[in-house]
Amino acid sequence: TIKGTVTKFEMVNPHVLVHFDVKNAQGVVEHWTAETQSPNMLIRAGWSKSILKPGDEITVTGNPDKTGLPELRLEKIVLSNGKELMQYPY
């Protein structure tokens, strides 16, 4: 689980991508990408193209890339207002 700021939200096939910046322990900004389901699955779960905007503060939970790249497979996002965005409609 990491906290960051949305830089770009791509609701495109085959998988939706959330790009966000995170400050590491040394204060250096890292550019992260979270990959999730297809747009169709996320729409069924209540997402829309405008649900995330650049500048939004988010907390991202997911499984990190095993190569060590700043990428992860998204489980959920929590917005600054506490709303949870899950990737499954159930």
Side-chain angles (χ1 to χ4, degrees):
T1 299
I2 51 179
K3 292 184 179 190
T5 305
V6 175
T7 57
K8 188 176 183 182
F9 178 55
E10 297 182 87
M11 198 161 205
V12 296
N13 281 313
H15 299 117
V16 173
L17 300 173
V18 180
H19 304 275
F20 57 103
D21 286 347
V22 176
K23 279 192 181 178
N24 67 18
Q26 293 75 32
V28 176
V29 174
E30 297 177 344
H31 307 290
W32 280 76
T33 300
E35 180 180 3
T36 185
Q37 300 291 333
S38 69
N40 191 32
M41 287 290 293
L42 292 183
I43 289 168
R44 284 190 240 153
W47 293 50
S48 69
K49 288 184 178 184
S50 61
I51 203 159
L52 293 172
K53 298 171 288 314
D56 286 351
E57 298 294 322
I58 58 174
T59 301
V60 182
T61 302
N63 298 308
D65 187 271
K66 63 183 176 181
T67 65
L69 294 172
E71 299 175 354
L72 56 82
R73 181 72 175 161
L74 184 76
E75 289 181 19
K76 74 175 180 177
I77 291 177
V78 179
L79 303 176
S80 60
N81 65 6
K83 180 178 179 177
E84 290 187 358
L85 303 177
M86 303 300 287
Q87 66 172 337
Y88 296 104
Y90 42 83

